[in-house]
Amino acid sequence: MRRALTRSCAAAALLALSGGGLTADPSLTTYGTPGLVEMPSAEVLAPGELAFAASVFGPNDRYTGTFQFLPRVYGSFRYSIIEGFNGPVIGNRYDRSFDLHLQLIEENARMPALAFGLRDFLGTGIYSSEYLVATKHLGSRLKVTGGLGWGRLAGRGGFDNPLGVIDDRFETRPGRGDRGNTGGQVEARNWLRGDAAFFGGLAWQMGERTTLFAEYSSDIYDEEEAKTDMKVGSGLNLGIEHRFRNNLRLKGFVIGGEEIGAQLSYVLDPARRVVPGGAEGAPPALGARERLAAASWNDPAQGGGPAALEKVLAHRLAEEGLVLQGFSTSATAASIRIENRRWDVEAQAAGRAARVMAAVLPPRIEQFSVVFQQRGVPVSRVVSRRSDLEELADDYDGAWRTRARAGIEDAADQPRGDALPDAFPQFSYGLSPYLALSFFDPDSPVRADVGAQLSLAYQPSPGLTFAGRFRYPLAGNIDKADRPSDSVIARVRTDVLRYAQESDVEINNLTAEYLFRPGPDLFGRVTAGYLEDMYGGVSGELLWYPVASSLALGAELNYARQRDFDMRLGFQDYDVITGHASAYYDFGNGFLGQIDAGRYLAG
């Protein structure tokens, strides 16, 4: 009890500094999934949301990440520590487990939400259970949940499996020792087998951001009571949760009337833009063409000309977070090559660039081409007409009509030798702290190093980049691991401990890289040097990716040689040729697929 309260103090102090705002997201259980205190509910998160939860009570620490990858389906990965579970010699149990939850029916005015779930279906089976659960809102403040559980969720008040009328095999559930599962196996043959039991509970929103929970748990914690000092006196669990304005939640709870615990959780949508569309500043006004003819940069009598026009254009684009790298005009058309350094939606960058052109260029220019570049390499081009921008500037449906009239093209034919004089060379640097993590060492589940990192990059011409990253570790314990490896195959990653132990000032990577466009819809890359912290060599890649295609195909070939453990300039004897063919597909709605086939570092 004292342990749980002590370890929650730091989290509570952090939360006290945050503000408040109510969300519709369900509360998370100690297992990091939507529910009450420990029992699951039939609720789901919003599509694409990520939830993180850390809970502490008795001998149990649970750390869970949950991802709502389909509108009605979420999956969870959990890392648990149970102190003393493995006895006095081995000590703590470090356990990884996975959950899957499918909402079968959405809640409506008459029907509750209904869901089926698998808990710890891919792991050692300590928490292995299945459940069928329903949840219904009764008014705006009260929520009722009831369910039927199997496996671990059938420990208290268990009765004969109702599925036994279908097949006698449902009446018996093999134990973990019977099936010899040490983790990493899907034990589908055990699902919905053995006794079943009921669970349920209530959630009552007592204030704008505070919720109370009471539940009847069917989990008796029999193994934890037998192997640790944990005590569970009854099936009644109680909890209270407060949500802060930034959506952090702090929950306190009591398990079985005996164990006091605390939980910190947070739900976020990674796709939600930091600056939502419409919240940014207004785009530049288009301006009247007749006035632009008399603008000083367009009027030779006032000292105007190509150089003055280019200077004004570059300045106006820079105000929009766009870097001008190339500019050319003809009788009625103009083309700019830009690098977008602000907008996470390219359509906004294209629209603002076109508006800047309309506000600066002479009235005779009717066609605008905006070429997007990466490190000086042309990627794609958006072509629009000035008269369309003027016509649709105040149109209610101007956004989609502008898109319908614009052309999106490949920019492989864009010349690269006429970049603006001050566009290259470019030099950038950064000095920052770094954090390196190592996970799942059986002796210490999380190890970390912190230190200082210097990053340098020099681009003498379009597509060519010399870059390096240098690190100096200041503190940490990755190098303190002393568990020897028994790997009998090529030790391509096994010696990570020796790299941490024998390195001081690290050349994390040091490369020369050239990006180019070998033809329409084709992108190429050649890289040479110290490619990463363990390997150096030469790498080449070719990608076919038409602008309007959902499919892309790539091929990569590498010669890699293992670096010395001190991460300086030397190499070891091990070398290998690797390569992969890859296919990428955009399924829409945020789903991307990738398939790779080839030869890896171990040969």
Side-chain angles (χ1 to χ4, degrees):
M1 183 183 298
R2 289 192 302 270
R3 173 176 169 269
L5 292 175
T6 300
R7 287 192 292 171
S8 67
C9 287
L14 175 63
L15 288 176
L17 301 176
S18 57
L22 190 63
T23 71
D25 290 318
S27 177
L28 302 180
T29 68
T30 62
Y31 288 92
T33 59
L36 301 168
V37 179
E38 292 217 287
M39 297 298 102
S41 69
E43 299 166 290
V44 294
L45 302 172
E49 283 191 330
L50 278 169
F52 301 95
S55 62
V56 178
F57 62 99
N60 303 281
D61 293 5
R62 294 175 185 159
Y63 307 95
T64 308
T66 296
F67 178 41
Q68 189 74 36
F69 59 89
L70 288 173
R72 295 193 185 185
V73 184
Y74 67 71
S76 302
F77 169 72
R78 182 178 309 104
Y79 193 77
S80 305
I81 305 172
I82 310 176
E83 291 190 354
F85 190 86
N86 288 337
V89 177
I90 300 178
N92 299 345
R93 167 64 68 92
Y94 301 101
D95 187 73
R96 285 169 277 183
S97 56
F98 296 84
D99 298 356
L100 195 64
H101 176 101
L102 169 63
Q103 188 181 68
L104 304 172
I105 300 175
E106 289 185 288
E107 182 180 356
N108 56 45
R110 295 183 178 181
M111 293 290 294
L114 182 67
F116 174 73
L118 303 170
R119 181 177 284 175
D120 193 5
F121 74 94
L122 183 63
T124 59
I126 292 177
Y127 303 116
S128 179
S129 52
E130 303 83 50
Y131 57 85
L132 187 67
V133 63
T135 299
K136 186 74 173 73
H137 286 77
L138 302 179
S140 60
R141 291 182 176 271
L142 183 62
K143 183 167 52 182
V144 180
T145 292
L148 183 65
W150 291 264
R152 178 151 178 157
L153 289 177
R156 177 177 285 106
F159 50 83
D160 290 342
N161 193 340
L163 297 176
V165 299
I166 301 175
D167 193 309
D168 291 343
R169 288 179 297 178
F170 284 110
E171 297 178 357
T172 304
R173 186 183 187 97
R176 293 204 311 276
D178 298 335
R179 66 178 185 263
N181 185 7
T182 58
Q185 303 173 33
V186 178
E187 296 289 349
R189 62 190 179 91
N190 296 326
W191 295 350
L192 304 177
R193 292 182 58 176
D195 287 351
F198 291 114
F199 62 86
L202 306 172
W204 180 57
Q205 186 174 330
M206 62 176 292
E208 183 183 3
R209 294 188 295 274
T210 303
T211 305
L212 298 179
F213 304 90
E215 69 178 16
Y216 170 76
S217 170
S218 55
D219 186 351
I220 60 175
Y221 281 91
D222 54 346
E223 284 196 272
E224 285 85 348
E225 285 197 327
K227 298 178 180 181
T228 72
D229 60 357
M230 183 174 181
K231 301 298 180 184
V232 177
S234 71
L236 179 62
N237 299 335
L238 301 174
I240 181 171
E241 179 179 78
H242 184 76
R243 299 188 182 196
F244 296 84
R245 293 189 186 276
N246 59 4
N247 209 27
L248 279 169
R249 305 108 179 265
L250 181 63
K251 179 186 283 188
F253 52 86
V254 180
I255 302 295
E258 298 283 346
E259 300 290 349
I260 295 179
Q263 177 172 305
L264 181 68
S265 59
Y266 186 68
V267 178
L268 63 93
D269 182 358
R272 186 176 297 143
R273 299 176 59 201
V274 177
V275 181
E280 68 279 357
L286 291 176
R289 293 203 200 193
E290 60 273 11
R291 295 179 183 175
L292 288 173
S296 60
W297 59 84
N298 287 323
D299 186 356
Q302 301 183 57
L309 177 59
E310 180 185 299
K311 184 177 180 180
V312 173
L313 187 61
H315 175 73
R316 297 283 182 89
L317 288 169
E319 291 179 339
E320 300 298 321
L322 306 170
V323 179
L324 183 65
Q325 295 183 337
F327 173 53
S328 60
T329 62
S330 62
T332 60
S335 175
I336 61 172
R337 301 199 298 281
I338 61 171
E339 184 175 300
N340 173 23
R341 295 185 179 177
R342 176 178 298 173
W343 307 100
D344 58 353
V345 176
E346 293 294 320
Q348 279 190 294
R352 290 187 174 244
R355 276 180 166 261
V356 169
M357 296 175 77
V360 172
L361 297 181
R364 61 181 173 81
I365 303 297
E366 170 63 17
Q367 179 176 290
F368 299 154
S369 292
V370 179
V371 179
F372 289 98
Q373 301 198 144
Q374 291 288 337
R375 288 195 255 173
V377 179
V379 177
S380 61
R381 175 170 49 227
V382 178
V383 181
S384 58
R385 294 195 311 164
R386 191 178 201 158
S387 55
D388 290 337
L389 295 177
E390 294 167 341
E391 177 188 344
L392 301 174
D394 299 316
D395 192 288
Y396 181 77
D397 293 322
W400 75 264
R401 289 185 176 181
T402 301
R403 166 64 183 90
R405 298 184 187 186
I408 302 177
E409 308 169 351
D410 184 41
D413 59 347
Q414 190 72 35
R416 298 174 58 186
D418 58 346
L420 297 181
D422 57 350
F424 295 94
Q426 296 182 13
F427 177 72
S428 62
Y429 67 92
L431 181 61
S432 64
Y434 79 89
L435 172 66
L437 297 171
S438 175
F439 296 101
F440 307 135
D441 182 333
D443 297 322
S444 180
V446 179
R447 295 182 182 272
D449 282 346
V450 295
Q453 175 176 282
L454 174 65
S455 300
L456 303 171
Y458 176 66
Q459 294 178 250
S461 61
L464 179 62
T465 304
F466 299 95
R469 184 169 63 233
F470 308 88
R471 287 180 171 180
Y472 183 73
L474 298 174
N477 63 351
I478 294 180
D479 61 340
K480 301 300 190 295
D482 56 6
R483 181 178 288 262
S485 170
D486 57 359
S487 175
V488 295
I489 62 173
R491 301 169 71 90
V492 297
R493 297 294 183 190
T494 308
D495 291 323
V496 61
L497 174 61
R498 292 194 61 184
Y499 281 96
Q501 290 174 334
E502 299 187 23
S503 62
D504 191 358
V505 177
E506 304 172 0
I507 302 176
N508 202 253
N509 63 57
L510 186 63
T511 60
E513 182 172 83
Y514 186 63
L515 304 177
F516 59 100
R517 298 294 308 271
D521 302 328
L522 294 175
F523 300 82
R525 174 189 61 82
V526 177
T527 308
Y530 299 91
L531 304 175
E532 47 141 293
D533 51 1
M534 295 188 190
Y535 287 88
V538 180
S539 173
E541 184 176 12
L542 186 65
L543 177 70
W544 174 79
Y545 186 18
V547 169
S549 174
S550 297
L551 175 68
L553 302 174
E556 181 181 10
L557 185 65
N558 313 290
Y559 168 74
R561 187 164 184 174
Q562 195 166 17
R563 297 177 58 184
D564 281 345
F565 295 124
D566 62 7
M567 283 193 248
R568 302 288 179 83
L569 300 177
F571 287 94
Q572 301 184 50
D573 292 336
Y574 183 78
D575 63 350
V576 63
I577 293 177
T578 71
H580 295 85
S582 303
Y584 313 88
Y585 193 80
D586 186 348
F587 292 94
N589 295 320
F591 287 92
L592 303 175
Q594 178 177 342
I595 298 177
D596 302 300
R599 191 182 196 215
Y600 291 83
L601 284 172

